[in-house]
Amino acid sequence: ELKVEQNPLFLSMQEGKNYTIYCNYSTTSDRLYWYRQDPGKSLESLFVLLSNGAVKQEGRLMASLDTKARLSTLHITAAVHDLSATYFCAVDEGGAQKLVFGQGTRLTINP
Amino acid sequence: GAVVSQHPSWVICKSGTSVKIECRSLDFQATTMFWYRQFPKQSLMLMATSNEGSKATYEQGVEKDKFLINHASLTLSTLTVTSAHPEDSSFYICSPGQGVDPEAFFGQGTRLTVV
């Protein structure tokens, strides 16, 4: 059974600081997703990582994938308040967008 | 990217009644639709997978007689919560399985509140 674990689950940080969210998964997969969710809203796609060593960046967010270690990271650079949200990683179970989600990381960025 | 339209975005119903949630794929044919449920402050959990023209498959612990899924066409899948109870109050989100495009798209979600 595929399990996906994120840490930390809660993260409170100051604007301007850097931090990393970690996502570990238990079985082999070559598709890993990162999503953002604002309160009361659905999921907003951030990144799709498809191969070992993949690195993608968008603005202050950068995601990477190490399939050998079964680890993905979401790095936040010089955080701003607008990045406050819950971030989920998810792993594709079987290659047909059937996703298993991590617990989510609730990120709060304080001025 | 693929456009997925989910309706309604929110619904309040009385205990014991049924509620239907629709999920439409607007610009592609979805042979598979995944239905997820998210309780407050929790993660998303897969409830069931619907396949066009065949029976849906349900995850362990999900009552198939309570959560009726219909996938009668390649552009429409529906989830009906029958005899709803307050513990069914949740955020329900659909996501089509595509296979070609690795991106996974989600509907806008439906907030169900059972009173």
Side-chain angles (χ1 to χ4, degrees):
Chain A
E1 178 189 354
L2 173 60
K3 293 187 178 180
V4 182
E5 294 190 351
Q6 280 179 245
N7 73 84
L9 302 183
F10 299 93
L11 179 56
S12 181
M13 53 192 292
Q14 287 186 315
E15 281 191 326
K17 300 292 187 182
N18 304 332
Y19 211 83
T20 301
I21 300 171
Y22 298 89
C23 177
N24 291 91
Y25 54 100
S26 61
T27 63
T28 302
S29 176
D30 56 3
R31 288 186 181 184
L32 189 133
Y33 303 80
W34 283 97
Y35 293 95
R36 169 181 172 146
Q37 187 179 39
D38 291 298
K41 303 292 186 181
S42 188
L43 301 179
E44 175 189 348
S45 178
L46 296 175
F47 302 108
V48 183
L49 303 170
L50 301 176
S51 60
N52 185 41
V55 177
K56 290 193 175 180
Q57 183 167 3
E58 182 72 35
R60 300 175 187 273
L61 301 179
M62 183 173 70
S64 66
L65 178 61
D66 181 342
T67 58
K68 294 181 180 179
R70 298 175 186 167
L71 170 68
S72 179
T73 61
L74 180 67
H75 187 73
I76 303 155
T77 301
V80 293
H81 178 68
D82 287 350
L83 291 178
S84 296
T86 299
Y87 292 84
F88 291 96
C89 65
V91 177
D92 190 333
E93 184 178 39
Q97 291 96 26
K98 179 182 178 182
L99 301 188
V100 177
F101 284 83
Q103 308 97 311
T105 297
R106 189 177 303 174
L107 174 63
T108 303
I109 298 171
N110 304 303
Chain B
V3 179
V4 183
S5 178
Q6 186 172 345
H7 177 81
S9 56
W10 61 271
V11 58
I12 301 173
C13 71
K14 290 185 177 180
S15 188
T17 62
S18 296
V19 173
K20 180 186 283 188
I21 301 169
E22 295 187 347
C23 190
R24 295 181 182 275
S25 53
L26 301 182
D27 57 355
F28 66 100
Q29 295 181 329
T31 57
T32 300
M33 191 71 73
F34 300 109
W35 287 94
Y36 296 87
R37 178 170 57 185
Q38 184 181 32
F39 290 110
K41 301 189 187 303
Q42 294 188 23
S43 187
L44 283 77
M45 295 291 290
L46 181 66
M47 296 177 60
T49 303
S50 71
N51 298 288
E52 188 268 337
S54 63
K55 289 184 178 181
T57 57
Y58 293 80
E59 297 301 303
Q60 190 172 11
V62 178
E63 301 175 55
K64 61 179 182 181
D65 294 331
K66 181 172 183 62
F67 298 98
L68 302 180
I69 290 176
N70 184 283
H71 196 149
S73 77
L74 291 173
T75 58
L76 176 63
S77 177
T78 62
L79 168 67
T80 301
V81 184
T82 63
S83 187
H85 291 284
E87 57 265 31
D88 299 323
S89 298
S90 187
F91 194 51
Y92 294 85
I93 311 175
C94 62
S95 176
Q98 301 182 75
V100 177
D101 187 341
E103 181 65 80
F105 301 98
F106 290 84
Q108 301 94 322
T110 298
R111 173 77 56 193
L112 170 64
T113 302
V114 184
V115 298

